[in-house]
């Protein structure tokens, strides 16, 4: 289960060591003296290893999640230390940072909404930006991705995707993983939504079904788009 800021902040010292686990090997041992040190357990070349990211609160939960994402990128590039090499620093991909950002949001969102948000990224953003270096993505790249969504008539989703990209960059920039938000100036370039067409009156027998549909709708359904 994903950790929340409050879980980490409110973890008090006990008579014996205990740990808070987040997933992906990331955990936070809490010592009897109150010390909290971020660690990541992983395996490389068949051997179990441990990587330290620093003490809380100097390293907050969001920073620890980004460091875990960076470590996984390094391991995927064959760097067994899990740390960037001075000679071959791996790129921080959009997907790695986006998934770290999404994990910070899970605790504050309705589970269904959190799942739809991730599905939206996986369907619309990752195919275009998945392996791209976060620093190398341009406004033109983001706009091209949005145009594909607009071409299916999903204008509400195109705005949500643009918003998500900005939120991901605002998450990454303070931690030194990006310098600017390429989606920041795209609002005026998005295509306007078509005028609302009011439908016929709904009968009382159909009302409950309509209410349920409205409650679960987030603009994603379109017959020409991939996935549910």
């Amino acid at each position: 289960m994903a950790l929340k800021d409050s879980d980490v902040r409110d973890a008090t010292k006990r008579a014996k060591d205990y740990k808070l686990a987040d997933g992906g090997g990331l955990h936070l041992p809490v010592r009897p003296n109150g010390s909290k040190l971020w660690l990541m357990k992983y395996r490389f070349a068949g051997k179990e290893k441990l990587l330290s990211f620093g003490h809380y609160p100097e390293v907050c939960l969001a920073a620890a999640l980004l460091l875990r994402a960076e470590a996984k990128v390094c391991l995927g590039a064959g760097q067994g230390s899990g740390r960037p090499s001075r000679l071959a620093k791996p790129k921080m991909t959009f997907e790695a940072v986006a998934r770290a950002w999404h994990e910070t949001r899970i605790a504050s969102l309705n589970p269904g909404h959190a799942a739809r948000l991730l599905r939206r990224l996986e369907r619309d953003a990752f195919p275009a930006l998945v392996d791209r270096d976060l620093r190398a993505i341009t406004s033109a790249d983001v706009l091209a991705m949005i145009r594909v969504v607009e071409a299916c008539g999903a204008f509400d989703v195109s705005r949500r995707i643009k918003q998500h990209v900005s939120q991901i960059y605002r998450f990454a920039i303070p931690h030194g993983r990006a310098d600017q938000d390429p989606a920041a100036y795209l609002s005026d370039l998005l295509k306007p939504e078509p005028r609302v067409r009011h439908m016929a009156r709904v009968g009382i027998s159909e009302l409950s079904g309509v209410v349920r549909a409205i409650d679960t709708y987030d603009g994603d359904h379109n017959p020409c788009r991939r996935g549910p």
Side-chain angles (χ1 to χ4, degrees):
M1 185 174 180
L3 286 175
K4 299 181 289 187
D5 282 318
S6 58
D7 295 331
V8 180
R9 184 181 63 248
D10 299 339
T12 57
K13 58 185 180 181
R14 301 177 185 173
K16 296 182 179 180
D17 289 0
Y18 69 99
K19 67 180 180 181
L20 304 176
D22 182 82
L26 181 66
H27 58 284
L28 183 72
V30 183
R31 308 300 184 194
N33 64 1
S35 172
K36 304 173 185 178
L37 177 66
W38 291 107
L39 297 173
M40 176 181 157
K41 185 185 294 185
Y42 67 99
R43 297 188 70 85
F44 190 82
K47 295 182 179 180
E48 187 172 281
K49 297 187 177 185
L50 204 59
L51 187 61
S52 170
F53 294 150
H55 287 85
Y56 178 86
E58 287 81 9
V59 177
C60 65
L61 174 60
L65 293 173
L66 277 172
L67 288 166
R68 181 185 63 185
E70 183 177 64
K72 288 185 177 296
V73 171
C74 291
L75 293 170
Q79 296 173 212
S81 68
R83 297 188 184 278
S85 165
R86 291 183 179 180
L87 298 178
K89 186 172 182 178
K91 62 187 179 183
M92 278 296 284
T93 66
F94 178 84
E95 181 183 11
V97 176
R99 290 189 182 277
W101 165 78
H102 180 261
E103 188 164 337
T104 66
R105 301 291 310 279
I106 291 176
S108 63
L109 297 176
N110 172 279
H113 180 52
R116 287 193 297 272
L117 193 161
L118 181 59
R119 185 170 67 245
R120 194 180 297 138
L121 288 171
E122 290 174 336
R123 182 185 57 211
D124 297 314
F126 290 172
L129 307 175
V130 59
D131 290 326
R132 299 287 302 277
D133 187 330
L134 202 67
R135 295 182 188 275
I137 294 172
T138 66
S139 295
D141 295 326
V142 178
L143 183 61
M145 178 264 294
I146 289 173
R147 291 295 190 230
V148 174
V149 179
E150 290 178 333
C152 285
F155 300 105
D156 181 58
V157 176
S158 69
R159 283 161 172 74
R160 291 171 188 258
I161 286 291
K162 182 261 180 193
Q163 180 184 46
H164 297 336
V165 172
S166 284
Q167 290 171 332
I168 290 164
Y169 272 89
R170 291 201 300 271
F171 168 70
I173 290 170
H175 298 290
R177 297 311 191 279
D179 302 312
Q180 57 185 359
D181 170 16
Y185 305 106
L186 298 181
S187 295
D188 292 341
L189 298 178
L190 301 185
K191 293 182 179 179
E193 294 189 59
R195 294 182 61 182
V196 175
R197 178 186 174 190
H198 296 288
M199 305 303 290
R201 180 184 301 175
V202 176
I204 190 66
S205 63
E206 304 171 286
L207 186 58
S208 60
V210 172
V211 171
R212 285 195 296 271
I214 292 172
D215 187 53
T216 58
Y217 178 71
D218 71 348
D220 281 0
H221 178 70
N222 188 293
C224 81
R225 304 180 69 226
R226 303 175 302 279

